[in-house]
């Protein structure tokens, strides 16, 4: 399994509050290359499909409503050990438990509106990247 890329979404709260630029700067400073990027507004059907694993959980309906409330920025990011390193960079799901200096600690406003998504495994990074990007929209092999 290719472990050199991960998939991320800058969530609606962060896009709306003009945090896309600061978050992308942090991502680049942490050594990630941007291989693919698009701003898009998810439909309810798309958000439900993307978060299918959480169906039935108490936070699911609110999460779908939030993720469709405004545009998001989807990203494919590369670096060594990308999935694990990116999860470290974003911090815990609950921002009150996230370490200082992490993206969620800095930009999240609640557990739900926690600013950013990052894939939790290389397998899911492959699936999630395919959900948003065709092969023609990906630019791997940039110099690190
Ligand atoms: P992750 O994004 O850190 O992988 P998951 O457990 O996969 O966390 O949850 C997906 C998303 O659902 C979270 O990023 C957050 O936006 C939302 N979420 C998770 N747990 C809660 C909760 O207890 N209350 C409200 N929203 C939640
Ligand atoms: Mg998750």
């Amino acid at each position: 399994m290719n472990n050199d890329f991960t998939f991320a979404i800058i969530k609606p709260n962060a896009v709306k509050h003009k945090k896309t630029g600061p978050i992308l700067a942090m991502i680049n400073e942490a050594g990630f290359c941007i291989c693919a990027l698009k701003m898009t507004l998810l439909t309810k059907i798309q958000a439900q499909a993307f978060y299918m694993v959480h169906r039935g959980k108490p936070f699911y309906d609110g999460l779908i409503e939030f993720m469709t409330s405004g545009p998001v920025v989807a990203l494919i990011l590369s670096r060594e050990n990308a999935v694990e390193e990116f999860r470290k960079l974003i911090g815990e799901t609950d921002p009150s438990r996230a370490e200082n200096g992490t993206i969620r600690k800095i930009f999240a406003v609640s557990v739900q509106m926690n600013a950013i998504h990052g894939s939790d495994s290389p397998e899911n990074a492959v699936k999630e990247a395919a959900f948003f990007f065709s092969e023609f929209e990906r630019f791997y092999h940039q110099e690190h």
Side-chain angles (χ1 to χ4, degrees):
M1 184 57 67
N2 182 349
N3 196 25
D4 288 336
F5 75 88
T6 191
F7 172 79
I9 301 176
I10 304 177
K11 297 188 180 183
N13 66 302
V15 173
K16 185 175 171 185
H17 293 109
K18 304 190 177 79
K19 304 306 180 195
T20 301
I23 290 172
L24 290 177
M26 278 184 75
I27 289 171
N28 277 153
E29 277 155 25
F32 292 88
C33 279
I34 297 170
C35 301
L37 180 154
K38 76 169 69 157
M39 186 181 265
T40 184
L41 181 59
L42 291 173
T43 65
K44 193 172 173 186
I45 302 276
Q46 286 171 327
Q48 285 172 333
F50 186 79
Y51 280 116
M52 190 66 89
V53 291
H54 294 303
R55 212 175 139 191
K57 293 184 186 167
F59 62 84
Y60 181 74
D61 289 347
L63 177 63
I64 300 308
E65 190 150 327
F66 164 55
M67 289 300 292
T68 57
S69 67
V72 298
V73 174
L75 301 158
I76 298 175
L77 303 169
S78 72
R79 67 155 277 172
E80 217 182 297
N81 203 17
V83 168
E84 205 181 316
E85 290 299 324
F86 194 70
R87 292 293 299 206
K88 278 191 219 159
L89 178 65
I90 69 177
E92 296 269 328
T93 307
D94 178 349
S96 68
R97 296 180 50 200
E99 276 187 48
N100 282 340
T102 58
I103 292 175
R104 282 170 166 170
K105 187 68 172 190
I106 297 168
F107 298 107
V109 295
S110 67
V111 183
Q112 180 192 73
M113 297 185 187
N114 60 1
I116 193 150
H117 166 86
S119 303
D120 62 7
S121 68
E123 292 79 4
N124 282 336
V126 169
K127 285 186 203 160
E128 292 174 359
F131 195 92
F132 281 82
F133 296 104
S134 77
E135 286 302 322
F136 298 106
E137 296 172 297
R138 303 176 186 207
F139 302 89
Y140 297 119
H141 314 301
Q142 299 170 54
E143 277 188 43
H144 285 261

